[in-house]
Amino acid sequence: MVTEEKSYKPQYVRIWRTVQMIPLGKVATYGQIADLAGLPGRARLVGKALGAVPKTGWDKQPVPWYRVINAQGKISFPLNSEYFLTQKGLLQEEQIIVIGAKIKLSNFQWQPDLSELLFKLTY
DNA sequence: GCCCTGACTCTCA
DNA sequence: CTGAGAGCCAGGG
């Protein structure tokens, strides 16, 4: 099925796959992705993996890195930095409300469906 | 191997 | 709500 996936770090691949499951208009936290990817306690690794997504696109599917924010419900880039503004813009395009750097997790956090997870995450 | 650096998180003040 | 401190762990030098 997927051909050149092996050259990437398996942990990164798991993280990317998990991030691809975040539905449009929703966000997830780094810790949440780490847990779902089977890497509990490694939120920082998630940040690293997202920074390492091949720009050309991986697996011919986009990895919506911008849907991942920190546990405080905020964008993790310095306020008004280039990446910050890019991320904020992309989120707003999906009707996600961002005030300053903050997003209301109670409204926009992804709540994965258990049966969907079991079906897709076959490690 | 040791040391330092994070797109992190939790706890406590 | 904000900030400091400690714990965290993969990567890179």
Side-chain angles (χ1 to χ4, degrees), chain A residues 36-104:
Chain A
L36 293 174
L39 303 164
R42 270 164 279 186
R44 307 187 87 138
L45 182 63
V46 173
K48 212 163 235 202
L50 292 182
V53 176
K55 256 191 174 147
T56 53
W58 167 77
D59 193 34
K60 305 197 162 126
Q61 299 285 320
V63 177
W65 57 269
Y66 55 86
R67 294 188 189 140
V68 185
I69 61 180
N70 66 33
Q72 301 179 344
K74 299 202 281 190
I75 291 175
S76 275
F77 291 112
L79 206 61
N80 296 326
S81 63
E82 184 185 345
Y83 282 117
F84 172 91
L85 294 173
T86 301
Q87 181 168 15
K88 182 168 179 174
L90 289 167
L91 290 172
Q92 289 178 142
E93 278 178 29
E94 300 189 350
Q95 323 307 321
I96 292 170
I97 297 171
V98 189
I99 298 169
K102 183 119 191 258
I103 291 153
K104 208 169 188 187

Side-chain angles (χ1 to χ4, degrees), chain A residues 2 4-20 33-34 36-39 42 45-46 48-50 52 54 58 121-123:
Chain A
V2 183
E4 45 199 306
E5 184 176 312
K6 295 191 185 86
S7 54
Y8 298 109
K9 296 190 165 87
Q11 292 185 325
Y12 283 13
V13 170
R14 286 161 66 160
I15 288 166
W16 297 338
R17 293 211 115 98
T18 308
V19 170
Q20 287 177 325
I33 295 302
L36 293 174
L39 303 164
R42 270 164 279 186
L45 182 63
V46 173
K48 212 163 235 202
L50 292 182
W58 167 77
L121 295 177
T122 53
Y123 298 134

